[in-house]
Amino acid sequence: MLTPSTEIEAAKIIREHAASKTPLKIRGGGTRAGFGNPVAAEATLSSAGLTGIVEYNPAEMVITARAGTPVAEIEAALAANGQGMAFEPVDHRGAMGTSGTPTIGGLFAVNSSGPRRFMAGAARDHLLGVRFVNGAGDVVKAGGKVMKNVTGLDLVKLLAGSHGTLGFLTEVTFKVLPVPKTSTTLVLSGLEDEQAMKALAAAMSLSVEVSGAAHLPESVRGRFIGGKLADGVATVMRLEGLEASVAVRAEKLTAAMAGFGPVSRLDDADSKTLWREIRDVLPYADGTARPLWRVSMAPSEAWKLVAGLRLRAGIDAYYDWQGGLVWMRMEADPEADVLRHGIRTLGGGHATLVRAAPLVRAELSAFEPQSPAVALLSDRVRAKLDPHRIFNPGLMMQGALP
């Protein structure tokens, strides 16, 4: 394990490996070990030694930190000022069966985004600037501290979600927001998937600012908040903000949802627990290597995909992002071909294999295959930033669609 303590040291290590064209596995805190395709590299370069908050001005709602800084340290500093990361980054340790310490660089490297994604945007939408070392060992600074400074902004977006294949992140600057004063969650009981999606669409059309919208079938409902959800399939909608505002909006949403079925409410404490468990994929943090997929597609079509797959394979699933994100665990085989064919048939989307046994991962593309044109463009971008292909080789390698 190569663990530089400075950016200069990291650049030197990368230059040496670039000169010999020796591949490097890029790692943050190790909480997503096994994610993506197997990496063809013996040496590992970790950002865990690059720690510390560089600058934080609560009044500006912008923070800069070194990439290896633990997320918990960032959250503690923000919480002391009533602020937080609005995109609710996922903690993958339970679902992935890993330990380690989530780092802020790793969070942005995978573009980790939770239940508030459809309202607040993804992690990359909050990222203002980065410092990183490219595949030639050069230190690059892109972006700035405010959104008006668009210099290098596209490069910032490229690094977010690149899984360490384009550069070794050393520092990130991102915006933060005030934490809502309180929250409540409305629980609509007894709806099947199709009706639940109609109810969520109706809720989203109202001027009540729903910040979380999920559907929890009976197979998973009892695994949330210690089984405290009302009996029957649960369709849940979160409201956040000032107490008086939340109360008024909750009454309006309750009245609108009453026509779909019984409605109950969770208090602030249970609401926070529920959405943290939805975010972190608690039902499938089961200690197994059963294939786990993260599927993103149109909310109006995702439930059809699940219904069709249930006729052909043993699966368990629940929905987030108003139904547009499906967490899907296969009971045995990953069924990748059937799944991806179904996605294409229903208008397109993305299926990412989050977890699987090593032999399964070796045979499948973990990421959605790209069209030939997109695959060519991706290859050209990587050739510019990592000319010797030393960063995480193979991790995001994808076959092109025919």
Side-chain angles (χ1 to χ4, degrees):
M1 180 79 72
L2 303 170
T3 311
S5 57
T6 67
E7 186 179 72
I8 293 174
E9 186 180 346
K12 180 181 178 183
I13 291 171
I14 291 169
R15 280 195 298 272
E16 291 172 350
H17 283 74
S20 61
K21 298 184 180 180
T22 303
L24 285 167
K25 181 183 291 186
I26 304 301
R27 170 190 168 108
T31 62
R32 298 176 183 86
F35 192 91
N37 302 312
V39 175
E42 295 183 4
T44 298
L45 178 62
S46 171
S47 63
L50 304 172
T51 61
I53 295 173
V54 177
E55 185 178 355
Y56 172 38
N57 186 335
E60 294 181 354
M61 294 192 290
V62 174
I63 186 168
T64 299
R66 297 184 182 93
T69 307
V71 171
E73 182 179 333
I74 301 286
E75 290 177 330
L78 297 177
N81 292 281
Q83 297 177 345
M85 291 179 277
F87 51 92
E88 296 182 286
V90 182
D91 184 342
H92 286 92
R93 286 177 291 185
M96 297 293 296
T98 58
S99 53
T101 301
T103 63
I104 196 67
L107 181 163
F108 284 107
V110 302
N111 192 33
S112 180
S113 312
R116 213 180 280 117
R117 161 72 175 83
F118 69 88
M119 178 185 182
R124 65 161 53 93
D125 298 310
H126 296 250
L127 188 61
L128 303 177
V130 296
R131 289 179 67 95
F132 67 97
V133 183
N134 67 16
D138 302 319
V139 176
V140 181
K141 180 181 183 295
K145 291 184 179 179
V146 293
M147 288 300 290
K148 290 181 180 178
N149 180 1
V150 298
T151 304
L153 190 58
D154 288 343
L155 193 54
V156 171
K157 303 295 189 189
L158 277 175
L159 266 290
S162 65
H163 295 263
T165 61
L166 299 179
F168 180 70
L169 278 173
T170 59
E171 185 179 285
V172 294
T173 297
F174 58 99
K175 61 180 178 177
V176 297
L177 291 172
V179 174
K181 295 296 183 182
T182 191
S183 67
T184 188
T185 294
L186 272 64
V187 183
L188 184 56
S189 300
L191 300 185
E192 295 302 319
D193 291 6
E194 182 178 5
Q195 282 300 108
M197 297 309 133
K198 292 179 179 179
L200 291 177
M204 296 304 298
S205 70
L206 300 174
S207 58
V208 295
E209 299 179 24
V210 173
S211 67
H215 178 59
L216 315 175
E218 187 63 22
S219 60
V220 300
R221 190 261 311 166
R223 303 176 210 173
F224 290 103
I225 56 172
K228 292 164 63 176
L229 286 171
D231 290 341
V233 178
T235 306
V236 294
M237 292 151 278
R238 178 177 61 185
L239 301 175
E240 299 175 298
L242 298 174
E243 186 172 350
S245 172
V246 168
V248 171
R249 288 183 284 133
E251 290 296 333
K252 182 176 181 179
L253 184 57
T254 298
M257 293 295 104
F260 287 95
V263 181
S264 57
R265 292 189 201 175
L266 301 179
D267 62 19
D268 182 53
D270 282 342
S271 180
K272 284 183 170 63
T273 299
L274 173 65
W275 290 98
R276 183 172 61 250
E277 293 175 348
I278 290 173
R279 178 198 74 182
D280 294 343
V281 205
L282 179 68
Y284 306 139
D286 52 16
T288 76
R290 282 184 285 185
L292 176 64
W293 291 94
R294 181 183 183 277
V295 178
S296 178
M297 56 190 300
S300 60
E301 303 298 318
W303 71 269
K304 299 176 186 177
L305 174 71
V306 173
L309 287 171
R310 282 178 173 153
L311 298 175
R312 305 186 59 169
I315 74 166
D316 196 13
Y318 73 91
Y319 307 80
D320 198 357
W321 299 358
Q322 194 199 329
L325 172 64
V326 186
W327 287 104
M328 185 184 303
R329 187 193 64 194
M330 316 305 286
E331 297 304 318
D333 295 330
E335 305 288 353
D337 291 341
V338 175
L339 171 61
R340 285 174 167 153
H341 174 75
I343 291 172
R344 291 195 296 271
T345 300
L346 291 169
H350 303 276
T352 304
L353 183 62
V354 173
R355 179 187 72 197
L359 288 177
V360 174
R361 291 178 56 229
E363 295 176 354
L364 296 177
S365 174
F367 295 90
E368 190 71 26
Q370 299 174 330
S371 68
V374 172
L376 179 60
L377 178 60
S378 297
D379 188 68
R380 287 178 176 174
V381 170
R382 182 167 184 185
K384 291 291 185 181
L385 293 175
D386 181 19
H388 302 297
R389 313 301 174 100
I390 64 170
F391 291 144
N392 277 344
L395 186 138
M396 295 190 76
M397 186 179 295
Q398 303 169 324
L401 291 169

